[in-house]
Amino acid sequence: MPSAPIAVVTGASSGIGAATARQLAASGYRVVLTARRKDRIEALADELTAAGHQAVPYALDVTDRAAVDEFATAFRTVAVLVNNAGGALGADPVATADPADWRQMYETNVLGTLNLTQALLPALTASGDGTVVVVSSTAGHGTYEGGGGYVAAKHGSHVLAETLRLEIVGTPVRVIEVAPGMVKTEEFALTRFDGDEDRAAKVYAGVAEPLSADDVAETITWAVTRPSHVNIDLLVVRPRAQASNTKVHREG
């Protein structure tokens, strides 16, 4: 019996990453869960294994290139890489934003994606049918006030995906970008506002149904499981209430 294809998911400790790992595991992949929080990914691996799926946790900081390179040595072939690790910090205007926040967002969203993609590209190619997924954001396609650092980082991840697709055309590796809009997860806004629950709640105030992590994970899994010759270059997914980054219908 052939072994299950391997799918590596970064940022798998919560939110979109955890939901994507669950759905890929249910689709028959042997999922490798990576994140910095070892306890979270170990618990998720136990959950998936108990459900009859294949899952392995691996504590990893995507910004640590030496650690990423060591991680990559474990694989001869990889079928799917989901570059999901990232996130936003702060919502200050350009004039007063903290450069340290900008640097951290760039290192995680862009260099983290670069690190994993470079390290695993040989294994993805060796699989004969590899897929690189970059989870960017609608912030990578349009700006908004107070979003400068995050927008810049997500533009970077968008351009990384777009350029990689040009550079490796003709190889057996697809490059898919999924750009979610407003997604309500347990941590995204809280992390952005340094744990301020009131500010985090205001992001979603009046929005009847923002996207869930499962909504985005389903989209990623659908794109990944298309026939090999089908490449979903860019898929933008928003809740119905969000027409753009700056136009959101709020009730009440």
Side-chain angles (χ1 to χ4, degrees):
M1 184 176 180
S3 58
I6 294 171
V8 175
V9 181
T10 70
S13 58
S14 66
I16 292 170
T20 299
R22 288 186 178 98
Q23 294 199 26
L24 288 176
S27 297
Y29 288 91
R30 179 174 183 262
V31 180
V32 179
L33 313 166
T34 76
R36 290 174 297 176
R37 293 180 292 186
K38 185 179 179 182
D39 59 331
R40 290 284 195 98
I41 54 174
E42 286 180 342
L44 179 55
D46 288 344
E47 171 198 321
L48 294 174
T49 301
H53 305 310
Q54 298 182 53
V56 178
Y58 192 104
L60 183 67
D61 180 347
V62 297
T63 67
D64 184 339
R65 184 54 188 256
V68 169
D69 287 341
E70 181 180 356
F71 166 72
T73 63
F75 305 100
R76 185 178 62 83
T77 65
V78 171
V80 177
L81 166 62
V82 180
N83 287 297
N84 169 73
L89 295 172
D92 296 320
V94 171
T96 57
D98 185 345
D101 286 345
W102 283 50
R103 184 175 296 109
Q104 186 173 338
M105 285 187 282
Y106 187 85
E107 288 180 351
T108 306
N109 291 282
V110 184
L111 295 183
T113 297
L114 178 67
N115 286 340
L116 264 295
T117 302
Q118 286 184 335
L120 290 178
L121 195 55
L124 287 154
T125 305
S127 76
D129 187 16
T131 300
V132 176
V133 179
V134 175
V135 182
S136 63
S137 167
T138 55
H141 300 270
T143 194
Y144 56 92
E145 293 168 287
Y150 183 59
V151 166
K154 286 303 189 182
H155 270 74
S157 62
H158 160 63
V159 170
L160 186 158
E162 194 172 49
T163 306
L164 178 65
R165 191 180 301 115
L166 294 172
E167 293 172 343
I168 66 171
V169 67
T171 72
V173 180
R174 302 180 294 186
V175 181
I176 294 170
E177 178 187 354
V178 175
M182 181 181 285
V183 185
K184 187 174 184 179
T185 63
E186 65 269 29
E187 294 186 326
F188 180 83
L190 273 176
T191 299
R192 182 168 204 167
F193 296 117
D194 197 25
D196 188 326
E197 294 183 1
D198 289 338
R199 291 186 73 189
K202 287 179 181 177
V203 173
Y204 311 105
V207 180
E209 291 184 285
L211 296 177
S212 68
D214 284 335
D215 292 329
V216 181
E218 185 175 357
T219 298
I220 293 168
T221 302
W222 174 82
V224 165
T225 55
R226 293 311 84 208
S228 299
H229 69 288
V230 177
N231 196 100
I232 308 300
D233 284 20
L234 170 64
L235 200 162
V236 177
V237 53
R238 291 188 172 100
R240 186 173 63 186
Q242 183 184 31
S244 75
N245 289 342
T246 58
K247 182 71 172 181
V248 179
H249 173 70
R250 299 181 189 272
E251 299 176 355

